[in-house]
Amino acid sequence: MRFRFLAAFAFAAAMTLTGCKPAEKAPGNAATPVADTQPIPPILLTPEAQDVHSYANPREARVTHVSLDLQANFVDHVLAGTATLDVAAEPNAQKIVLDTDHLTISKVTDGAGHALHYQLGQSDPIHGAPLTVQLGQARTIAIDYQTAPDAKALQWLAPEQTLGKKYPFLFSQGEPILNRSWIPTQDSPGIRQTWDAKITVPEGMNVVMSAARDSALGALAAGDRRTFSFKMDKPVPPYLIALAIGDLRYKAISDNTGVWAEPAMVDKAADEFADLPRFLDAAENLYGPYRWGRYDLLILPPSFPYGGMENPMLTFVTPTAIAGDRSLVSLAAHELAHSWSGNLVTNATWNDFWLNEGFTTYAEGRIMEQVYGADREAMEQDLMWSDLQDTIKQLGGPKSPMTKLHVDIPASQNPDDGMTQIAYDKGAEFLMTIEKAVGRDKFDAWLKGYFDRHAFSPQTSAGLIEDMRATLFKDDPRMAKRIGLEQWIYQPGVPANAIHVKSEAFEEIDAAAKAFAKKGDVTAVPTDMVTQETIRFLNDLPRNIGTDKLAALDNQFHWNQTGNSEIRFAWLDLALANKYPPASKSAEQFLTSQGRLKFVEPLYTLLMQQADWGPALAKQIYAEARPTYHPVTQAGVDKIVGWTGTPTAATN
Ligand code: BES
Ligand code: ZN
């Protein structure tokens, strides 16, 4: 047998559901039919499944359930309380090793309250510190701890940084290895854990998590604090445990979908994502029943560093996706698709991040095509193709090892460093190529089966190839050879059999861009371009088109002021490269009003490359914007602009 699995012990989760009616309109357990409870899933013990970015020792002992009881302290920016872990261990296991990052541990006890010996190892800037607990006979351990005010996974926002300006806000972002800065557990994507949480917050604030919420407990008042309680009864990789606290309201879109947002945003958000139920239908059509109960979106404050994060049952979304015309909603299709690719079948290590993102980008396209039609999707695919070419150039050309799907990120490097657009675009291209080769029906049936066969399990590139050979290519192994599975996954560049989907609508746009670049006649530019056409048009224009032509466009389209973040970004990318002076103010406004990495990092990079005026402007804008950015965004931009300001003090 190729795989060996760690014997896992079943345990009884001692959670009692109150079964009470929700005290408010917000979704709670009562409204959530909870599907079958999963057994403790296996750990993959193949060499490729070894995670060098976790200190955990899952072969000896592994966490199977995490139970959090935490108080949120908005004065000191600290979460404090207890994490109680259920452990499955080999009979002669000595110890369990957990991941932590700047956690202050005050006590570790067993289930009966007896102290256990533990040791917090040396802290490493990327991985944090191992917490080794001597188990003895204990199979439950309770850790009293608190987080550091600058915990990497957490952003504490002052009231001024929210829409309502009245309450502070907190949100977490776990992927890839940040959750160890607020949860002491085995923080590896291959080690799945069920979990529950009790979160106590100041009166007036609401708590949401990536799990079913028990509204009845949420209503319990204790002094001027309220405790909310959550339960995730399906085993998830720990990076998917997520928390947000703020002045949040819920608006339903359908029975099982809706949005959470600050009050001033919730109607707008529900309208923008009104097609969410259609996305869910399309996804279920393709990949089988949605297994997580509800599917809600949480709209975060603008400092959220990502476009979206696929936290189970509750995708976290940047407000920059709300354009007002639903033109950027593919983001929700993407995060929803992760409910299968990523959250059901999960990359065993971050070296196979493409298994999460490539499959998801492919499925996102299929959902979009089903809901909005092939023409709209062809535009997205064509943009993706250009994006892939640009990414390859940026990464040093088609021979660069960075352009491989499976990457090898050594322990000395941050897993973030291997997470590029390659995983998304080349990953999706790979699956499109296979789909084309075997036919859509056969491919769809295979992919649906793949999600079922590996549900709630970790996966590697080697495991994928093995599965494909045993199923999809069983009767035609030569087909696998022709496609070149190994070349696609383990070699750099994009194989020649890749499919470039071309949008017919873009033909007119490309012609208009060409004509405009040549003559500068703005009447040659269509005035009714949709978002994807506008982006194509802007990306088509030469980076040295000159300020006169940009002024003509500015006059006609006012892209310096557009509230569509993707258009604003494409415009600024062009205008700053051309040193177009009126873009400076717009760049400053854009960079100080949101902190999404995808927009922020390239624009600072571009400014730093514009000799004479650029670096000074970048530094001036950053001095203002930095305090509002998420720790991850700060770390990224610090490197780009060579920030020498006082670094945030380390706390232990
Ligand atoms: N899982 C990612 C976000 C992520 C990636 C967080 C790596 C941390 C590390 C999410 O699903 C994603 O891909 N978001 C994209 C948007 C999507 C529409 C391509 C983003 O944030 O830009
Ligand atoms: Zn994704």
Side-chain angles (χ1 to χ4, degrees), residues 604-620:
Y604 281 107
T605 304
L606 187 56
L607 280 174
M608 292 305 287
Q609 290 163 351
Q610 308 305 308
D612 312 333
W613 65 286
L617 181 61
K619 284 178 182 159
Q620 176 216 316

Side-chain angles (χ1 to χ4, degrees), residues 175 308 310 334-335 338 353 356-357 360-361 424:
E175 191 180 14
E310 64 272 26
H334 177 97
E335 305 310 339
H338 272 304
F353 179 61
N356 278 14
E357 298 302 341
T360 298
T361 303
Y424 294 77

